[in-house]
């Protein structure tokens, strides 16, 4: 008696559970596809920003290279290294995101 009730209930709920699962799966796949589409654009923005920062530092160095007594000159010499290390760190994070999305 209980088994018949359970089987009847499972037959009624099965289509609802399956459709709910398919909707969740479709939403997850759509979200992942959107992230994959945005990822290259975000990476390009970060690379462009880093390149512009490097150009700015290069111009600053050219302006102050004759006057080495300024502390700005010494900071400007060290700044590109920090910019590059931050950029590499961000690129590694993005690479990890790509690997995670592809798995």
């Amino acid at each position: 008696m209980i088994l018949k009730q359970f089987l009847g209930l499972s037959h009624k709920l099965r289509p609802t559970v399956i459709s709910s699962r398919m909707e969740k799966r479709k939403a997850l796949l759509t979200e992942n596809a959107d992230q994959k589409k945005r990822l290259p654009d975000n990476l390009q923005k970060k690379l462009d920003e880093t390149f512009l920062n490097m150009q700015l530092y290069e111009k600053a160095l050219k302006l102050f290279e004759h006057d080495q007594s300024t502390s700005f000159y010494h900071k400007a010499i060290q700044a590109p290294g920090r910019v590059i290390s931050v950029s590499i760190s961000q690129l590694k994070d993005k690479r990890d995101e790509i690997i995670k999305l592809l798995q």
Side-chain angles (χ1 to χ4, degrees), residues 4-17:
K4 285 183 182 181
Q5 289 176 343
F6 177 74
L7 289 175
L9 183 62
S10 68
H11 286 293
K12 289 180 184 178
L13 290 177
R14 186 169 191 255
T16 306
V17 170

Side-chain angles (χ1 to χ4, degrees), residues 69-87:
S69 63
T70 62
S71 64
F72 176 80
Y73 178 80
H74 299 289
K75 288 179 183 177
I77 288 174
Q78 296 169 353
R82 286 184 292 232
V83 170
I84 290 171
S85 67
V86 168
S87 299

Side-chain angles (χ1 to χ4, degrees), residues 2 5 8 21 27 43-44 47 49 53 55 59 68 73 82 84 89 98 100 103:
I2 294 175
Q5 289 176 343
R21 182 172 178 253
L43 283 173
Q44 188 62 49
L47 286 173
E49 183 180 318
N53 281 340
Q55 285 182 329
K59 286 181 183 180
Q68 294 185 6
Y73 178 80
R82 286 184 292 232
I84 290 171
S89 172
I98 291 170
K100 183 179 171 185
Q103 289 178 344

Side-chain angles (χ1 to χ4, degrees), residues 1-97:
M1 178 80 168
I2 294 175
L3 183 60
K4 285 183 182 181
Q5 289 176 343
F6 177 74
L7 289 175
L9 183 62
S10 68
H11 286 293
K12 289 180 184 178
L13 290 177
R14 186 169 191 255
T16 306
V17 170
I18 290 174
S19 66
S20 173
R21 182 172 178 253
M22 293 302 286
E23 287 175 16
K24 283 186 176 184
R25 183 173 182 234
K26 184 185 275 186
L28 183 63
L29 290 175
T30 304
E31 182 182 335
N32 282 344
D34 290 342
Q35 284 180 348
K36 286 179 185 179
K37 287 178 187 176
R38 287 191 309 265
L39 197 59
D41 292 335
N42 291 342
L43 283 173
Q44 188 62 49
K45 280 182 186 177
K46 289 203 180 284
L47 286 173
D48 291 343
E49 183 180 318
T50 302
F51 182 71
L52 290 174
N53 281 340
M54 294 297 289
Q55 285 182 329
L56 179 66
Y57 287 124
E58 182 183 9
K59 286 181 183 180
L61 280 175
K62 285 180 183 177
L63 284 174
F64 290 98
E65 69 184 347
H66 299 295
D67 185 12
Q68 294 185 6
S69 63
T70 62
S71 64
F72 176 80
Y73 178 80
H74 299 289
K75 288 179 183 177
I77 288 174
Q78 296 169 353
R82 286 184 292 232
V83 170
I84 290 171
S85 67
V86 168
S87 299
I88 289 173
S89 172
Q90 290 174 347
L91 288 174
K92 283 181 181 178
D93 293 342
K94 292 297 178 183
R95 183 198 65 193
D96 293 341
E97 283 182 35

